[in-house]
Amino acid sequence: MSAQLIVQVKNDVNIISLGADPVSIGRERSNAICLNDPTLSRFHCRIESHRGGHRLVDLGSQNGTQVNGKKVARKVLEHGDRIQIGAAVLYYKSKQEKRRNPGAGVGSDTVQIPRWGQPKKGKLSPAQRYAADPRRKVERVLSRVFEEYGLDGLLELRSFVENFVEDRSSAISGRGTTRENLSRLQEITKAITSELNLGKLLTLIVDSVIQLTKAERGFLLLRSGKKLEIRTARNLDREPIRKPGKKISWSIAEEVAKTGAPLISINAQKDERLSSSGSVTDLKLRSVLAVALKLKGQVTGVLYVDNRFEEGVFSKVDLPLAEAFADQAAIAVENAWLVAENQRRQRELKTAKEKVEELNRVLNEKVRRQSAELSEVKQILRERQDEWEFKYSYEHIVGNSAKMREVFRLLDKVTDSEVPVLIQGESGTGKELVARAIHFNGPRKDGPYISENCAAIPDTLLESELFGYKRGAFTGAERDKRGLLELASGGTLLLDEIGDMSMEMQGKLLRALEEGEIRPLGGKSTVKVDVRVISASNKDLRRLKEEGEFREDLFYRLAVITVDLPPLRQRREDIPLLVEHFIAQFAREKGGKPRAISDEAMAILAGYDWPGNVRQLRNEIQRALALADKVIVPEILSDEVRLGSVPSLTPANLTNRDLKEITREVVQTVERQVVREVLDQTGWKKSEAARRLGISRPTLDSKISAYGLKRPQRETP
């Protein structure tokens, strides 16, 4: 298993012993063999033991690993194999091969140059033996070179032979190489021409030319007026180059931009053409290639690649490929720039149009609004200090009227406790929402929340629903069932419409609440329960108690705290908030933008009494949105709402008046009434009134002036 690895980097030669432990190679310092070569990956390849010998495994390197001139992913190593990794050359020397061939011509302690494969004697034709003769001659020459100059001589001769072959292959166009290059160029061209984002495109161009030419670094310079400007600078690892202006030879880039002719240098340090360029010496450049980006006969930029560590990276064979790529890159850059410019102009036009529309909209009100805002800053601050600050969030309960604020303040006090709460209010006022707010903000929020409508279930079924039953308790009871009081234990049970519960059922519920335990139907034992009961009713339980239709003891058990929800007609100032809330909610459900509503339609909605309260308003908005195009107007509101909104305000004199004139008068009457009511409710605090109405302060001032509204005088004692 033991073997040796001879590592040569330029004139530096080291011998590494190989055993059972794997040997990693790459740029990272933690590798067993660390090579300071930018063309290598951080972890490039590994040599590991394999069936008594060794094999080489490429670790997914970017530029690959070659063995005997062929790129491999993994290969079992044989004595004399030549491994090419970037600028480093490694020879594998097997000690078993040494013992097997003790008379090798290159000595027993050195690497034997591998022979070309030869068929066994006796099977060679005359033509084959003749073809093999030159190879034996070359081997004898190499042996003499090794004996006289050693390993360094062989390595120097190898470099000479490789350059010689490259020069000859450049003169004689090889079809296979041309096809390969054209295929690579075609793939890269497709990639850059399909990218229309200018920033991403410039990065893709530089990364592609580095890959195409095997360069260490790449720079893309574009004309900005009469000067060149570095737009992208990248290295072999696809990372940006810091301070790229100090890493490039500007004299080379400017010369190519000026003449349009490409420039290639195998060794920039010894190139007489570049002897006057101080940047070449300062940057210690070796291989340099620069080509111009041309469009319609004009140079638009320069594509510049180099290698600071290795000579001869670029050859004349690379020029046609690089120039063809530069031509495609110039077209791609132009297309991306045109797209970006078009998008920029569209954004500017859109922005300019929006600004013009905004200026036209606010021009007549701007001066007055600004002066009014400045004069009322102190008043607004004082008014805001009077606003309620609530402990919990009631985002699902929409309302900002004085009555709703009182409700929120009461909820803040009862939510932290676990006392029973009675919620009273007309149908559609949001009793279920209040019950949920108490539960999910309170100490039992992690427990279950269960709701039951007592009016929807007969007493016989309600008892089994609340207390549960055992199997066989009655016909059809095929299995045990837990009651709602047991299921809600540790949480909250909402008993909705409890005013419709029979007196007998009220007694059973009272006993369960007082004892804290229930007995399922057909059961022999009791079950302990710990539940917070919230009851709700659209009837006045206090009146029912006084009339003997509701148990007094149960009433006091349930109504420790009573929350009275006002009907919508008593908090009309919340109607605009609710309308906007429902419009936005339906827009989110449909995935579109919220519709607008005209002032006239809003005034009609605010003037209607809403016997079905919030639930009826929500249904009306849903209906209007289904019929509206872009704006909700009075004509699409239901007849019940539109005609019932102003029953006492319809003009008495209908003679010689068209519908449009009558409608306008009615709308103005309703609007005047709504504005006055909101002003009275807010104590004529105009900023607060404007916020509730959903209009600006200048608009409110204009309506006050148009309708001749005046603040009532305070009575003097």
Side-chain angles (χ1 to χ4, degrees), residues 123-195:
K123 295 184 180 181
L124 289 175
S125 65
Q128 289 174 327
R129 285 195 297 273
Y130 177 80
D133 286 341
R135 302 186 182 195
R136 289 196 292 273
K137 291 180 180 180
V138 171
E139 185 174 357
R140 287 196 295 272
V141 170
L142 294 176
S143 297
R144 289 197 297 272
V145 171
F146 181 80
E147 291 172 357
E148 185 172 354
Y149 299 100
L151 181 60
D152 289 344
L154 280 179
L155 294 174
E156 186 175 353
L157 180 60
R158 177 187 59 79
S159 179
F160 172 81
V161 172
E162 288 178 348
N163 291 334
F164 182 86
V165 172
E166 183 179 357
D167 291 341
R168 292 302 181 269
S169 64
S170 299
I172 303 173
S173 175
R175 292 186 178 180
T177 301
T178 301
R179 290 197 191 100
E180 182 181 354
N181 289 340
L182 289 176
S183 177
R184 291 168 59 196
L185 180 61
Q186 185 179 18
E187 292 178 1
I188 294 174
T189 300
K190 287 181 180 179
I192 65 174
T193 53
S194 61
E195 180 59 67

Side-chain angles (χ1 to χ4, degrees), residues 153-398:
L154 280 179
L155 294 174
E156 186 175 353
L157 180 60
R158 177 187 59 79
S159 179
F160 172 81
V161 172
E162 288 178 348
N163 291 334
F164 182 86
V165 172
E166 183 179 357
D167 291 341
R168 292 302 181 269
S169 64
S170 299
I172 303 173
S173 175
R175 292 186 178 180
T177 301
T178 301
R179 290 197 191 100
E180 182 181 354
N181 289 340
L182 289 176
S183 177
R184 291 168 59 196
L185 180 61
Q186 185 179 18
E187 292 178 1
I188 294 174
T189 300
K190 287 181 180 179
I192 65 174
T193 53
S194 61
E195 180 59 67
L196 296 178
N197 182 285
L198 187 58
K200 294 181 180 179
L201 173 64
L202 299 182
T203 298
L204 180 60
I205 289 174
V206 176
D207 288 343
S208 300
V209 76
I210 292 175
Q211 177 187 0
L212 195 64
T213 61
K214 308 299 182 184
E216 177 210 352
R217 305 182 304 178
F219 302 81
L220 179 60
L221 301 89
L222 297 179
R223 283 197 181 277
S224 178
K226 296 182 179 180
K227 296 182 179 181
L228 288 175
E229 178 180 323
I230 298 177
R231 296 298 300 273
T232 307
R234 309 270 288 176
N235 60 23
L236 185 64
D237 291 333
R238 299 175 179 263
E239 299 172 341
I241 296 175
R242 298 180 59 186
K243 299 180 180 180
K246 297 182 179 181
K247 309 292 178 63
I248 188 175
S249 175
W250 284 98
S251 58
I252 294 177
E254 290 171 353
E255 178 66 20
V256 172
K258 179 180 179 181
T259 63
L263 187 147
I264 183 171
S265 179
I266 298 175
N267 188 344
Q269 298 295 316
K270 300 179 181 180
D271 197 329
E272 296 180 358
R273 298 172 300 170
L274 307 177
S275 59
S276 61
S277 176
S279 59
V280 172
T281 304
D282 296 339
L283 296 173
K284 299 180 181 180
L285 300 179
R286 294 293 187 270
S287 302
V288 180
L289 173 62
V291 293
L293 273 66
K294 298 179 182 178
L295 190 67
K296 299 178 182 179
Q298 300 293 325
V299 176
T300 59
V302 174
L303 202 53
Y304 174 109
V305 292
D306 66 14
N307 191 303
R308 299 168 294 173
F309 308 101
E310 190 175 352
E311 301 175 7
V313 174
F314 317 117
S315 65
K316 293 182 180 179
V317 177
D318 297 319
L319 273 180
L321 191 65
E323 288 183 299
F325 175 79
D327 291 341
Q328 297 299 322
I331 296 173
V333 170
E334 177 71 9
N335 290 339
W337 183 87
L338 290 175
V339 170
E341 183 66 14
N342 184 44
Q343 292 175 346
R344 183 186 64 80
R345 290 183 178 180
Q346 288 181 351
R347 290 194 298 269
E348 290 179 352
L349 288 174
K350 182 179 179 181
T351 302
K353 181 180 179 181
E354 292 174 350
K355 287 183 178 180
V356 170
E357 292 175 351
E358 181 67 15
L359 289 173
N360 289 336
R361 187 180 66 84
V362 303
L363 186 59
N364 295 329
E365 299 178 355
K366 185 175 181 180
V367 175
R368 183 173 55 179
R369 185 179 68 250
Q370 288 179 344
S371 61
E373 290 174 351
L374 290 175
S375 64
E376 294 185 0
V377 168
K378 293 183 179 180
Q379 180 180 351
I380 293 174
L381 292 175
R382 288 193 299 269
E383 292 173 0
R384 288 186 177 178
Q385 291 176 354
D386 296 334
E387 293 182 0
W388 292 105
E389 293 183 359
F390 301 112
K391 183 176 181 181
Y392 296 107
S393 172
Y394 304 105
E395 57 183 353
H396 297 295
I397 307 175
V398 180

Side-chain angles (χ1 to χ4, degrees), residues 51 54 139 153 243 256 312 330 414 526 541 579 632 709:
R51 296 182 180 178
H54 294 86
E139 185 174 357
K243 299 180 180 180
V256 172
V414 303
T526 59
L541 292 190
V579 171
I632 298 176
L709 301 177

Side-chain angles (χ1 to χ4, degrees), residues 380-442:
I380 293 174
L381 292 175
R382 288 193 299 269
E383 292 173 0
R384 288 186 177 178
Q385 291 176 354
D386 296 334
E387 293 182 0
W388 292 105
E389 293 183 359
F390 301 112
K391 183 176 181 181
Y392 296 107
S393 172
Y394 304 105
E395 57 183 353
H396 297 295
I397 307 175
V398 180
N400 197 34
S401 61
K403 289 183 177 293
M404 288 306 297
R405 288 184 179 183
E406 287 295 329
V407 171
F408 293 151
R409 190 164 72 109
L410 181 58
L411 293 181
D412 264 354
K413 294 180 179 180
V414 303
T415 297
D416 284 337
S417 66
E418 296 191 7
V419 298
V421 178
L422 170 63
I423 306 172
Q424 294 193 136
E426 296 179 4
S427 296
T429 52
K431 297 185 290 295
E432 172 83 15
L433 292 178
V434 172
R436 285 180 172 273
I438 294 174
H439 171 75
F440 289 104
N441 286 324

